[in-house]
Structures are given as C-alpha cells and as structure tokens.
Amino acid sequence: MRDSGLFLKELEEKLLGFVLRLLRFKRNAFFEKVQERKHSSERSVRSERVIARLTACRQLGLDPPNANEGGDK
C-alpha cells in the first residue's frame, strides 16, 4: 500500500499543475480577447476616416477618391 503522505504530495502536484494550466488558458483567452478588441477598434477608426473623407468630398462637390488609387497608408 502507498504511503498516504506520498499520495497526498502527488495529488497536490497534479492539482497544482492543473490549476497552472487553467490559469495559463484563461490568461491566453483574455489576451486574445484584448487583441480582438484592439483590431476591431482599429477597423472602426479606419471606417470612420473613410466615411469622413467621402462626406467631405460630397459636401465640397468633389469626386470621391478611388479606392484602387491608394487610401490610408
């Protein structure tokens, strides 16, 4: 029969390993979500700039810039 102290030590090590893996998973998921929000925000800003540029062109009676000729760089 196993020594109960050794069994508890192994159990504690396995539990600690599990908790650490879970925390890493949660941390990675959190940072992925942060990156998603950052990219979404960047896309929103670019969209707002395009809309503002088109609106300004219309108000000034100019032809809107051609999307194939450049844009934001």
Side-chain angles (χ1 to χ4, degrees):
M1 201 165 210
R2 277 181 153 182
D3 178 65
S4 63
L6 181 60
F7 173 75
L8 289 175
K9 184 171 174 67
E10 289 175 358
L11 184 61
E12 182 181 355
E13 288 174 1
K14 288 180 181 179
L15 184 58
L16 181 59
F18 172 76
V19 169
L20 289 174
R21 283 192 306 277
L22 182 62
L23 287 173
R24 275 189 221 111
F25 173 77
K26 290 295 232 176
R27 179 195 64 198
N28 291 343
F30 170 77
F31 284 114
E32 286 175 12
K33 185 63 91 176
V34 167
Q35 285 298 101
E36 281 178 24
R37 287 183 182 157
K38 179 181 173 190
H39 294 311
S40 176
S41 176
E42 290 169 355
R43 283 191 301 271
S44 293
V45 168
R46 283 194 300 268
S47 294
E48 289 173 11
R49 286 181 185 155
V50 169
I51 292 168
R53 190 170 32 247
L54 292 174
T55 302
C57 286
R58 284 188 194 119
Q59 289 174 345
L60 296 172
L62 303 173
D63 290 332
N66 189 341
N68 295 329
E69 292 179 4
D72 282 344
K73 289 188 180 182

